[in-house]
Amino acid sequence: MTSPSGSTFDEAKEFLALYPEIEAIDIVLVDCNGIGRGKIIRRHELESVYKSGRPMPTSILGLDICGEDVHETGLTWDTGDGDMRAWPIPGTLVPLHGTTPPRGQVLMSMYHLDGQPMLSDPRHALARQLADMSTRGLVPAGAFELEFFLLSNKRDADGRVRPAEAVLDGRVSGKTEVYSVDHLHGMEPLFSDIYAGAKAQALPVETVISEYAPGQYELTLNYRTDLMRAADDLTMLKRLVRMQARRHGVTACFMAKPFENYAGSGMHLHVSMPDKNGKNIFSEKTPGAYEPTLLNAMGGLLATMPESMLVFAPHANSWRRFVSQSYAPMAPTWGVNNRSVALRVPEGDVRARRIEHRPAGVDTNPHMVAATVLAGIAKGLDEKLDPGAEVTGNGYENTPKLEGDTPADWRSAIEAAKASSFLKSALGEELHRTFTAIKQAEYLRVARTVSGLDYHLYLHEV
């Protein structure tokens, strides 16, 4: 049958001809936790994947963070755990740098046997929102930022994780080396391999920064005129960083908050809104006089942020990132050139006017983040929502009184998401049901676990 994803057999043939040394290919389907699940196939199997897709069980999209079935999703025994068909995503068949023997990778998306989208696949939620924007004559563009930690494979004497030693010479730094160029030199062999891998995968990876915590770094991605491709970029870059870190003997950590006393890792989304003629509708005609479209878009994002927080902070650990003066937002606020707010309007050329959406942690699924952000923008444009007053100065102290309740913790976010008609519309009913069921199951797993902290606090005290 014709591939419903738009992939073509010619892409597979050209890849195999161009890379005769490649012996195997990772076929990767990304679930709502952002985890790549799939198989490693042999070279001779690739053509059949492009001709007829690859059968995969329905339940692969209903797994929790531990890879266990969540029966409440309805994707396991309610369907007999039957197979559906995964198809390759055009443009994502790439070689993997430094593998032995040489391997490739291709991202996949799930479809029913008749070719209809399987709507628990997060890619389809973003596709729906992009299609909705297209009906408005808009073509969203953007890019994600990737913050992460490089950690040692060995714990300290107390069993805690610690920053990785420099892969160049083993030097150890426990300091916050923010923006230190010399500090980056110690990880130069690793970052050189990341850049080489990015070149092989045609990923527009640009600047590397030593970030605001020991062992924390940031890689930036150049803008894409296709927001779906921007989300794919982030997915592929995370896999690339994790793989190359492992090859250099360190751990790439994408937890939102691995160290309690330092800033966590975000996954900021920069989004602009060109029309079909390439004109950015957020660009002001008079510098400093922001367009109603920009303000309305932020109004929609702020109005829907409380009920959307589970998408932006999907795990128990995610909520430890939201701490005052940590560069993570504490309330639905906006400001210009201000990193203490949830929505930042960066300074710069008016033609590139954009919204930097800052709540999402690096532990999220980028396709779901982008889908939810676009749905919020659409709501703001349709209803001409007012974002309220701009926050200036310290957003952690100058936050205005807000209407509605912003979830204070993971459990509250789960309940808000389950009850949200907006989020059900943004993600689609099927993905909304799958996602909230998985989060509820994960919450119950964490809630019933007796941790080491419990013993430390209570064993000899109560």
Side-chain angles (χ1 to χ4, degrees):
M1 64 183 293
T2 301
S3 169
S5 70
S7 59
T8 66
F9 182 58
D10 286 345
E11 185 177 1
K13 287 200 303 182
E14 291 170 6
F15 179 83
L16 293 173
L18 189 60
Y19 301 103
E21 72 281 6
I22 282 181
E23 297 184 14
I25 298 96
D26 298 3
I27 60 173
V28 183
L29 182 73
V30 180
D31 69 10
C32 64
N33 275 322
I35 297 173
R37 303 192 186 276
K39 307 177 181 183
I40 299 178
I41 62 172
R42 306 305 297 169
R43 177 186 178 89
H44 70 270
E45 298 178 88
L46 183 65
E47 290 187 355
S48 69
V49 170
Y50 274 78
K51 284 182 178 179
S52 54
R54 184 76 178 210
M56 287 195 185
T58 309
S59 59
I60 199 172
L61 291 172
L63 303 175
D64 68 9
I65 194 72
C66 297
E68 297 187 7
D69 291 329
V70 177
H71 305 304
E72 292 79 5
T73 62
L75 300 180
T76 312
W77 303 124
D78 290 6
T79 62
D81 196 17
D83 281 343
M84 292 194 180
R85 202 163 290 272
W87 290 86
I89 302 305
T92 65
L93 179 57
V94 294
L96 294 176
H97 173 70
T99 53
T100 305
R103 295 205 323 276
Q105 170 186 279
V106 63
L107 299 185
M108 309 287 284
S109 190
M110 192 76 95
Y111 293 82
H112 291 279
L113 299 181
D114 64 359
Q116 293 301 306
M118 195 283 185
L119 297 180
S120 286
D121 182 339
R123 287 184 60 88
H124 297 312
L126 178 52
R128 284 178 52 252
Q129 294 302 329
L130 288 169
D132 177 70
M133 285 294 178
S134 181
T135 64
R136 303 162 188 268
L138 300 174
V139 186
F144 288 91
E145 297 174 5
L146 182 69
E147 296 178 353
F148 59 96
F149 284 81
L150 294 175
L151 304 179
S152 172
N153 290 341
K154 297 180 180 178
R155 305 288 182 92
D156 67 16
D158 296 320
R160 295 174 179 268
V161 297
R162 56 193 179 92
E165 299 84 355
V167 299
L168 181 66
D169 56 12
R171 186 179 300 179
V172 178
S173 172
K175 298 182 293 183
T176 299
E177 304 272 8
V178 63
Y179 280 88
S180 169
V181 178
D182 290 343
H183 177 64
L184 293 174
H185 293 168
M187 292 296 179
E188 184 178 28
L190 168 55
F191 283 112
S192 293
D193 276 335
I194 290 171
Y195 281 119
K199 182 178 180 181
Q201 297 184 28
L203 294 177
V205 179
E206 296 191 328
T207 307
V208 61
I209 302 166
S210 180
E211 263 289 357
Y212 197 60
Q216 189 184 34
Y217 302 87
E218 177 186 284
L219 283 166
T220 61
L221 286 154
N222 199 4
Y223 243 53
R224 292 283 196 182
T225 55
D226 176 1
L227 203 56
M228 180 71 81
R229 182 64 209 211
D232 289 342
D233 286 346
L234 197 284
T235 296
M236 294 169 73
L237 182 56
K238 281 181 74 172
R239 287 183 55 78
L240 172 60
V241 170
R242 181 179 280 119
M243 178 183 295
Q244 294 303 330
R246 191 171 184 180
R247 294 179 66 83
H248 282 273
V250 299
T251 296
C253 174
F254 299 106
M255 290 173 63
K257 184 82 166 181
F259 296 110
E260 61 265 30
N261 295 323
Y262 293 96
S265 293
M267 192 181 73
H268 304 159
L269 170 59
H270 293 251
V271 60
S272 61
M273 199 62 65
D275 62 21
K276 291 188 176 179
N277 296 317
K279 181 181 178 182
N280 183 7
I281 68 167
F282 290 164
S283 298
E284 60 266 27
K285 299 177 181 66
T286 304
Y290 294 111
E291 287 295 298
T293 48
L294 176 70
L295 297 173
N296 294 158
M298 289 194 294
L301 290 172
L302 296 178
T304 58
M305 194 173 292
E307 58 199 298
S308 304
M309 282 304 298
L310 187 64
V311 172
F312 310 140
H315 307 291
N317 179 260
S318 308
W319 291 83
R320 297 189 173 98
R321 175 171 159 260
F322 300 115
V323 178
S324 181
Q325 301 181 52
S326 66
Y327 292 97
M330 296 285 288
T333 52
W334 75 279
V336 179
N337 198 25
N338 189 331
R339 288 183 170 85
S340 65
V341 296
L343 303 178
R344 173 177 174 253
V345 180
E347 290 283 5
D349 190 333
V350 297
R351 292 171 296 180
R353 185 66 67 223
R354 64 192 186 274
I355 299 168
E356 180 186 1
H357 185 273
R358 297 175 60 83
V362 76
D363 55 347
T364 62
N365 179 301
H367 297 87
M368 292 175 63
V369 169
T372 306
V373 166
L374 290 185
I377 289 174
K379 180 179 176 68
L381 294 175
D382 289 347
E383 300 179 18
K384 294 182 168 48
L385 296 180
D386 184 351
E390 172 193 350
V391 169
T392 59
N394 187 344
Y396 296 109
E397 295 179 355
N398 302 335
T399 300
K401 183 175 176 56
L402 302 168
E403 295 183 5
D405 294 325
T406 301
D409 54 32
W410 191 29
R411 180 180 180 181
S412 301
I414 293 171
E415 295 304 316
K418 286 164 63 176
S420 172
S421 58
F422 163 77
L423 198 60
K424 186 177 292 186
S425 174
L427 301 179
E429 290 191 20
E430 189 171 326
L431 179 56
H432 179 267
R433 182 193 69 239
T434 299
F435 177 57
T436 55
I438 288 171
K439 294 297 113 182
Q440 181 69 25
E442 290 175 356
Y443 169 77
L444 293 175
R445 177 190 290 271
V446 171
R448 67 173 177 259
T449 299
V450 181
S451 69
L453 180 61
D454 287 293
Y455 294 121
H456 175 70
L457 292 177
Y458 309 121
L459 179 62
H460 299 293
E461 308 300 333
V462 296

